[in-house]
Amino acid sequence: MISANVLAVFYLISGVLFILALRGLSSPETSRQGNLFGIIGMALAIGVTIVSAGNFSTGFLYLIILLLIGGSIGAFIAFKIPMTAMPELVAGFHSLVGLAAVFVAVSAFLNPEVFNLGTPRNIKIASLIEMSLGAAIGAITFTGSIIAFLKLRGIMSGSPITFFGQHYLNLTLGLFLAGLIFYLCKTQVDTFFWTIILISFLLGILLIIPIGGADMPVVISMLNSYSGWAAAGIGFTLENTALIITGALVGSSGAILSYIMCKGMNRSFFNVILGGWGATEQSSSGKSKEQKPVKSGNADDAAFLMKNASSVIIVPGYGMAVAQAQHALREMVDVLKKNGVKVSYAIHPVAGRMPGHMNVLLAEANVPYDEVFELDEINNDFANCDVAYVIGANDVTNPIAKTDPQSPIYGMPILDVEKSKSVLFVKRSLSPGYAGIDNDLFYRDNTLMLFADAKKMTEDIIKSL
């Protein structure tokens, strides 16, 4: 049996490792090292927690068996899921974190003496507040993540789902939750506790359904933050230092990332976390009402333009991820550089379906880090660029974000690819992006549409080059 002081020291070490993990993951160059720190920290926290159980009781054996089952399932899914489905996977795993917080809170409420929280009907007030908040945030995270998963997967429409008085209903439910927690602490009536959980499940759904597809990357980050705060709340209930530290790190880092993304998309942080409060209804502006003329080309046309260019900027998006075209793209760039063409990559903060999606894919193809630039670093270069090669990045290149106040993406900073001398846009069809609106860039005079699978088109361009 490990003493409380030794246990605290090991938990503190694991907390430091988690902080080092976050620091390492902030840069592609140190991401592998950061991931290793996180693995070591989590292994240490789990190992110390198991050893602190003290004996090989039936409960201990159940714990080991469940850990092996859960770990095996998680490892299997991680190996099988492609990068294109990673956002859905993250949303799905967030839901499990939230549900776990609910289960622990229920267990603590039904058996407080096991957790040294008091006795039934006489639980410590502080513990009631902690488990209530943990259960509420966990329940919101669970159902909210399920809705995000369904939207990302395409099972549910990515368009905002709204009804009259929706935001006021959310506000009413939030205030009602606060009142229920107050009366639970005052009376410790079971009904209040179960009602808190049920309303939180409902609130999770209502908070996410009015958020449109263009804001879904922020939702993923926000739900990540929620799952962290749920874990921290339950950590206080269990008096587990590692859980408190881990939850606080995940919660705060997720909130900071959500804020940074909202700032980068010109969105109100509070609007998004409150379920799109204050957002305007999605208009039909930007949607294709009539057939417009477009110029289309083939691989030979694209190869000719790029071979005779002095500078080319690659703009990767979700289309590249779906086609798994990053390796072919890297090969095409190598050929261009051999011909004396300067090539750079432009990454929008929300390209793909979650933060860093494109960076990870390009790193997988061993693209040099010094060739990859964020929006603020490279946006001014498009005006002096000969060719912009857009490979499936739809909403983040749509000029309508700067011209139509009624558009759902109005005000979102975009990559100024339309300023390039020529734009090569690789896409299967003229279908709208995830925000559900037509891209005005398709119909510009300097745009040449390349209708094909992104990987196949890039490979054909390589042959032509």
Side-chain angles (χ1 to χ4, degrees), residues 55-217:
N55 59 69
F56 286 89
S57 64
T58 303
F60 182 84
L61 292 176
Y62 282 147
L63 175 63
I64 297 296
I65 293 171
L66 292 173
L67 276 174
L68 290 174
I69 294 173
S72 299
I73 294 173
F76 177 79
I77 293 174
F79 277 115
K80 289 292 183 181
I81 292 293
M83 273 306 302
T84 51
M86 198 56 64
E88 296 100 288
L89 178 68
V90 171
F93 280 174
H94 286 166
S95 72
L96 296 179
V97 175
L99 189 60
V102 174
F103 284 157
V104 174
V106 169
S107 178
F109 184 76
L110 296 178
N111 303 282
E113 63 278 0
V114 175
F115 299 91
N116 297 318
L117 305 178
T119 59
R121 302 285 183 177
N122 191 27
I123 303 174
K124 300 173 186 175
I125 299 298
S127 298
L128 278 173
I129 295 173
E130 293 158 5
M131 70 175 69
S132 298
L133 290 175
I137 299 172
I140 291 171
T141 304
F142 174 68
T143 51
S145 298
I146 293 298
I147 297 299
F149 173 87
L150 295 176
K151 287 196 172 196
L152 288 166
R153 197 72 174 176
I155 299 173
M156 178 183 288
S157 171
S159 301
I161 300 173
T162 59
F163 55 84
F164 178 75
Q166 184 175 36
H167 300 310
Y168 293 103
L169 175 60
N170 291 349
L171 178 61
T172 302
L173 289 176
L175 294 173
F176 188 43
L177 266 180
L180 285 172
I181 292 174
F182 173 78
Y183 280 105
L184 174 65
C185 294
K186 189 175 182 179
T187 64
Q188 301 201 16
V189 176
D190 294 5
T191 306
F192 289 139
F193 181 74
W194 300 115
T195 307
I196 288 170
I197 294 176
L198 290 175
I199 290 179
S200 299
F201 279 138
L202 175 61
L203 192 57
I205 297 172
L206 295 175
L207 283 173
I208 305 302
I209 58 172
I211 301 178
D215 294 325
M216 199 49 59

Side-chain angles (χ1 to χ4, degrees), residues 374-445:
E374 299 295 332
L375 181 145
D376 293 337
E377 300 172 313
I378 200 171
N379 227 13
N380 292 331
D381 295 346
F382 282 104
N384 302 314
C385 169
D386 293 314
V387 177
Y389 185 71
V390 185
I391 182 165
N394 203 330
D395 297 324
V396 298
T397 61
N398 195 342
I400 209 168
K402 297 184 287 187
T403 60
D404 184 3
Q406 299 304 312
S407 170
I409 63 170
Y410 179 71
M412 182 178 82
I414 63 165
L415 291 163
D416 295 329
V417 295
E418 79 277 6
K419 295 181 180 179
S420 303
K421 293 178 182 177
S422 297
V423 178
L424 300 174
F425 206 120
V426 185
K427 204 171 185 298
R428 290 178 179 271
S429 68
L430 292 174
S431 60
Y434 199 66
I437 57 174
D438 202 12
N439 192 344
D440 189 52
L441 182 63
F442 298 163
Y443 314 105
R444 297 291 177 102
D445 291 335

